[in-house]
Amino acid sequence: MSISWNSIGEIQVSDNWQLFPSDTISDTFRITTTITDTEGWNRTKIQSGAYIRFIYPDEQNTKSKPVYIPVRDEIIVYELPVPHEMRGAGYYLRSISCRFSSKWVGKLPLASFAGWKLKVEGFLQ
């Protein structure tokens, strides 16, 4: 049996929260990170991971606690289920947003960070 993944999108990570282009109902995610500024990553720039968080379509636009995503050479699978209270209220669909995780976000210009992309795919059940 083959495993199928649905692309939620790929974003150049920055110091501002950005929404991925597609919403998801998945609880299992395959995450790939790709360094786009190899020279900066290896020499002088800040090497920052990212935070992702989920946004639910309720009246308050409830946001999950951020989940740290490190930059890795390998693909990582994360189990990030919809919380029971949101599922119980009928919210299965959610958006994903991301930004750099560094303590320097908001204190240094974006050019201080080594560039990389974050690709998220949701498991199709």
Side-chain angles (χ1 to χ4, degrees), residues 13 25 27 48 55 61 68 71 88 94 121 124:
V13 181
I25 59 171
D27 287 337
S48 178
I55 303 168
N61 276 337
Y68 178 72
V71 176
R94 55 192 174 161
E121 299 169 285
L124 292 175

Side-chain angles (χ1 to χ4, degrees), residues 27-77:
D27 287 337
T28 305
F29 301 92
R30 182 167 72 175
I31 295 183
T32 307
T33 57
T34 306
I35 296 169
T36 57
D37 177 11
T38 307
E39 184 176 329
W41 188 268
N42 292 329
R43 294 181 187 236
T44 59
K45 295 189 177 182
I46 296 170
Q47 299 176 1
S48 178
Y51 287 126
I52 64 168
R53 68 180 177 191
F54 297 96
I55 303 168
Y56 296 89
D58 61 351
E59 291 179 10
Q60 296 81 25
N61 276 337
T62 300
K63 296 172 182 67
S64 69
K65 291 182 179 179
V67 176
Y68 178 72
I69 305 295
V71 176
R72 298 265 173 94
D73 290 335
E74 66 272 359
I75 296 170
I76 305 291
V77 175

